[in-house]
Amino acid sequence: CHMLDKYGVDGQSTSDGHKGQRGERNAPTVYNAAGHFVQFWDGRAPDVEAQAKGPVTNPVEMAMPSEKQVIAVLKSMPEYVEAFKRAFPEDKDPVAYDNMAKAVGAFERKLVTPSRWDRFLRGDQTALTNEEKAGFNAYMETGCQACHSGAYLGGDLYQRLGLIKPWPDTSDPGREKVTKNEADRMIFKVPSLRNIERTAPYYHNGKVETLEQAVSRMAEYQLGEILTDAQVKSIVTWLRSLTG
């Protein structure tokens, strides 16, 4: 699901799982994910360590029958036993499910992608072209920063999909599926915009193919703004500077 040579995604709307099964949601990128305030589209895991535990025993994804079986497989490989001993020297039994998740989380926390945008923020005025600077101004004038803000330009709050104009596809209830609270219907974690040009298709269900479509629809449904093709093109030009 998370190919590191493809910016942490697989380029599919939903991913291939155990015996060809398909998940219900688009696999988000693992790059910069550790900086988000919660994990998964519905926020059901607080951090990457907790997130790492989920897919392993999910019957659709990796389909391991139990945590105990995962540990049995890890312990069957001497190189892993030694590696876990080195990583967790204080533990009497270092090959443990929690430690597996900690190890995956430790790796993911290194998956950060500084970009030209960061050079610009540090004062390098030449890091962006004039067209990209104009695109950032268009982004701000449209109001996109209301949700996509902070160091990761997103990943730090929940928002209702279809905030201003009702979203046409309500088949996925979003966070309501976790909380069972009707007030959370169609609430999703706001994704980060870093590397956004490389992580198509878009949205929780991966049904939007192009970045231009994604920008246009977000403006319409979240902000009540109908953007011209020129405005969309300008914003997308700036978004490409976020690729690390």
Side-chain angles (χ1 to χ4, degrees), residues 7-103:
Y7 280 86
V9 298
D10 60 8
Q12 301 187 77
S13 56
T14 58
S15 299
D16 293 315
H18 180 61
K19 293 185 177 180
Q21 296 180 87
R22 288 274 177 176
E24 296 178 346
R25 291 176 179 158
N26 179 254
T29 177
V30 288
Y31 283 110
N32 305 298
H36 297 189
F37 83 121
V38 292
Q39 303 298 315
F40 293 112
W41 282 101
D42 54 23
R44 64 184 183 273
D47 50 40
V48 287
E49 288 79 13
Q51 187 278 331
K53 295 179 181 181
V56 184
T57 55
N58 184 297
V60 174
E61 296 181 62
M62 297 181 191
M64 288 298 284
S66 66
E67 295 179 9
K68 184 178 179 180
Q69 184 64 26
V70 174
I71 296 309
V73 172
L74 289 174
K75 286 185 174 180
S76 74
M77 292 178 271
E79 62 271 29
Y80 268 131
V81 174
E82 289 305 312
F84 272 82
K85 284 180 181 177
R86 291 194 300 271
F88 304 97
E90 304 299 321
D91 291 12
K92 289 182 179 179
D93 188 10
V95 187
Y97 202 70
D98 281 351
N99 286 350
M100 177 276 293
K102 288 178 184 177

Side-chain angles (χ1 to χ4, degrees), residues 93-211:
D93 188 10
V95 187
Y97 202 70
D98 281 351
N99 286 350
M100 177 276 293
K102 288 178 184 177
V104 173
F107 171 72
E108 287 196 56
R109 289 180 182 279
K110 296 294 185 181
L111 297 177
V112 293
T113 58
S115 66
R116 289 188 293 113
W117 173 244
D118 297 290
R119 282 168 41 204
F120 179 75
L121 291 179
R122 289 195 298 268
D124 181 358
Q125 291 292 312
T126 66
L128 299 188
T129 66
N130 288 334
E131 291 78 11
E132 288 167 341
K133 293 173 185 176
F136 174 67
N137 288 336
Y139 170 90
M140 295 294 290
E141 289 163 4
T142 303
C144 309
Q145 78 283 2
C147 294
H148 296 282
S149 60
Y152 297 95
L153 297 120
D156 61 356
L157 77 161
Y158 295 115
Q159 187 54 275
R160 185 177 309 281
L161 186 59
L163 182 65
I164 301 299
K165 180 180 178 181
W167 192 251
D169 180 2
T170 59
S171 57
D172 187 333
R175 192 157 160 72
E176 182 190 29
K177 201 170 183 178
V178 175
T179 66
K180 312 304 180 186
N181 184 344
E182 191 176 346
D184 288 330
R185 184 164 183 80
M186 297 305 292
I187 297 287
F188 294 91
K189 183 182 77 170
V190 175
S192 165
L193 294 180
R194 286 184 177 271
N195 302 314
I196 195 69
E197 70 159 325
R198 303 294 184 94
T199 56
Y202 302 105
Y203 301 160
H204 65 284
N205 55 14
K207 289 186 177 180
V208 174
E209 293 291 333
T210 72
L211 188 51

